[in-house]
Amino acid sequence: FEVQQHEIFGILGGSGSGKTTLVQQLVMLNAIQKGTVFMLDKNISELSLKQSLELKQSFSYLFQFGALFSFLNVIENISVMLKEYTNLPSNLIEEVAYTHLHMVGLPTSCAKLYPSQLSGGMKKRVALARSIAMQPKILFLDEPTSGLDPNSTQSFNELIVKLKEVLNLTIVMITHDLETIKEVLDRFIILKQSIIFQGTFKQAQ
């Protein structure tokens, strides 16, 4: 399958169908078991360690449950990648972090809270802010609306579509949520160990 630039592409399938395994290979968390993966015109199996690290800074991965650091507050969580991979001064890093906090619809008042003090929806937004802080070209989302109520799901979906436009992102998303499939995805594949469908929601009906 092929993901087009600036689209929201879905990976669907039942439990055990290979969704997470596939995406973890795409983002180089696990070695490719079979086949070839090209990302941004590069064969990821043929990259040197340096080239691999450079490519990894072109994309970001939002884990299903956010994977926030419990010992860091909100603004520190958003700043993690900026501190690790840029030479920006600390005051500018904090400014960038606050900008992304507002970009995902969270108020300044939650900046000093810790993950244990946040609702599920807020955790997802903080994790999303962290994942876009390095201005990735591609954003991978693993069940981003899992555990959210219908209103929070709709709000989060609207945010994803808005960020795609504002930041010119290409988004690859694992999801099983029907509303997300109908309202957010441009195209998707359905896995059952192999691809059994590829196309749009309209084509799948």
Side-chain angles (χ1 to χ4, degrees):
F1 67 94
E2 192 172 278
V3 179
Q4 303 295 329
Q5 186 176 0
H6 197 56
E7 76 173 340
I8 302 181
F9 187 89
I11 298 176
L12 285 55
S15 179
S17 62
K19 305 184 300 297
T20 300
T21 299
L22 171 61
V23 172
Q24 287 181 347
Q25 291 178 28
L26 297 181
V27 301
M28 294 183 271
L29 283 175
N30 291 330
I32 297 172
Q33 297 173 4
K34 189 176 181 180
T36 307
V37 175
F38 284 87
M39 186 181 298
L40 300 175
D41 297 323
K42 295 178 176 69
N43 184 339
I44 67 174
S45 298
E46 298 178 350
L47 301 178
S48 66
L49 179 59
K50 182 182 178 183
Q51 291 170 325
S52 175
L53 291 173
E54 288 174 352
L55 182 60
K56 285 178 180 179
Q57 292 187 42
S58 300
F59 63 82
S60 190
Y61 189 101
L62 176 61
F63 292 90
Q64 183 173 350
F65 299 107
L68 298 177
F69 294 107
S70 60
F71 54 88
L72 299 179
N73 65 32
V74 165
I75 215 67
E76 289 169 340
N77 262 288
I78 298 172
S79 302
V80 162
M81 299 297 288
L82 295 164
K83 289 179 178 178
E84 184 71 22
Y85 293 106
T86 74
N87 296 316
L88 295 174
S90 56
N91 63 321
L92 185 53
I93 285 176
E94 187 168 292
E95 189 176 320
V96 172
Y98 273 101
T99 297
H100 287 87
L101 180 71
H102 298 146
M103 199 175 285
V104 298
L106 291 174
T108 303
S109 58
C110 76
K112 302 300 182 181
L113 298 178
Y114 286 83
S116 61
Q117 299 172 291
L118 305 175
S119 68
M122 291 172 73
K123 287 178 184 177
K124 298 261 189 181
R125 287 174 183 259
V126 174
L128 182 60
R130 183 178 63 185
S131 69
I132 61 174
M134 289 285 290
Q135 300 181 335
K137 295 178 180 178
I138 307 170
L139 178 61
F140 291 89
L141 307 174
D142 188 355
E143 297 281 10
T145 59
S146 176
L148 300 182
D149 62 59
N151 287 337
S152 297
T153 294
Q154 182 180 352
S155 177
F156 199 87
N157 282 340
E158 290 170 356
L159 174 61
I160 289 170
V161 173
K162 178 182 176 183
L163 289 176
K164 185 201 82 161
E165 296 299 331
V166 171
L167 301 176
N168 194 31
L169 288 167
T170 299
I171 297 175
V172 179
M173 180 193 306
I174 297 174
T175 185
H176 69 276
D177 181 74
L178 184 58
E179 288 305 310
T180 302
I181 296 166
K182 287 169 58 179
E183 304 297 333
V184 176
L185 302 183
D186 295 306
R187 293 186 305 121
F188 58 87
I189 57 173
I190 299 176
L191 292 181
K192 194 173 181 181
Q193 301 305 323
S194 60
I195 297 172
I196 61 172
F197 173 81
Q198 181 172 187
T200 66
F201 181 76
K202 188 174 182 180
Q203 290 170 335
Q205 289 179 296

